[in-house]
Amino acid sequence: MTTRPTDVNEKSIQTLRALYGKNKPSSKKIQATEMFMKGENSFLVIARVLNVATATAEVYAIDGYCSGAPLSYQDLAPQFNLNNEEADIIAAELRRDNVSLRIVRDALQNAFSYNQIRLVLAALIRGEI
């Protein structure tokens, strides 16, 4: 996996944050993140406890990670079936100018879910990729 290039500046971090979008805290996001941190690695189980869709539980954990929860990309990546090569491919697309999650997904021929892309985006923001 690549590390953040030394030329990444605050402006590009702000661009990535704008691409990520709104990330407001909520009790369910906090609960999902806490459950994951305590070892509940099944988003299906977390979703059932929170009474939300599995993809929504995934987003809650990614949002918590992006907001600075004590999680790492390495904690989350296995749950999204992402390896380092795939993360690098997604990261390269996210670093292009004028992208959106849809543009990235389309450019990658729908090979990755929005949540996989969102996770890599959060890792870029956190400086872990």
Side-chain angles (χ1 to χ4, degrees), residues 2-5 8 16 88 90-97 99 124 129:
T2 60
T3 56
R4 181 184 284 178
V8 172
L16 291 171
D88 287 343
I90 295 168
E93 288 298 321
L94 287 166
R95 287 184 178 113
R96 294 183 188 272
D97 290 333
V99 297
L124 286 168
I129 294 181

Side-chain angles (χ1 to χ4, degrees), residues 62 65 73 76-77 80 82 115-123:
I62 297 168
Y65 165 62
Y73 173 78
L76 291 164
F80 291 87
L82 274 177
N115 284 348
Q116 288 172 313
I117 296 166
R118 198 173 277 113
L119 175 60
V120 173
L121 176 56

Side-chain angles (χ1 to χ4, degrees), residues 2 4 32 36 38 49-50 54-55 57-58 69 75 80 98 109 123:
T2 60
R4 181 184 284 178
F36 190 86
K38 290 179 181 174
V49 169
L50 299 178
T54 303
E58 292 173 351
D75 295 331
F80 291 87
N98 300 315
Q109 300 175 0

Side-chain angles (χ1 to χ4, degrees), residues 82-116:
L82 274 177
N83 63 42
N84 292 345
E85 182 180 328
E86 292 168 330
D88 287 343
I89 291 168
I90 295 168
E93 288 298 321
L94 287 166
R95 287 184 178 113
R96 294 183 188 272
D97 290 333
N98 300 315
V99 297
S100 67
L101 295 181
R102 172 80 184 250
I103 289 170
V104 169
R105 190 162 190 254
D106 289 350
L108 298 172
Q109 300 175 0
N110 298 323
F112 302 100
S113 71
Y114 282 111
N115 284 348
Q116 288 172 313

Side-chain angles (χ1 to χ4, degrees), residues 30-82:
I30 293 166
Q31 190 176 358
T33 302
E34 287 175 350
M35 289 176 70
F36 190 86
M37 289 169 33
K38 290 179 181 174
E40 181 51 70
N41 294 332
S42 169
F43 286 113
L44 181 61
V45 171
I46 293 171
R48 285 184 181 153
V49 169
L50 299 178
N51 197 30
V52 296
T54 303
T56 302
E58 292 173 351
V59 169
Y60 288 168
I62 297 168
D63 283 355
Y65 165 62
C66 190
S67 295
L71 294 170
S72 72
Y73 173 78
Q74 296 303 324
D75 295 331
L76 291 164
Q79 306 310 314
F80 291 87
N81 299 312
L82 274 177

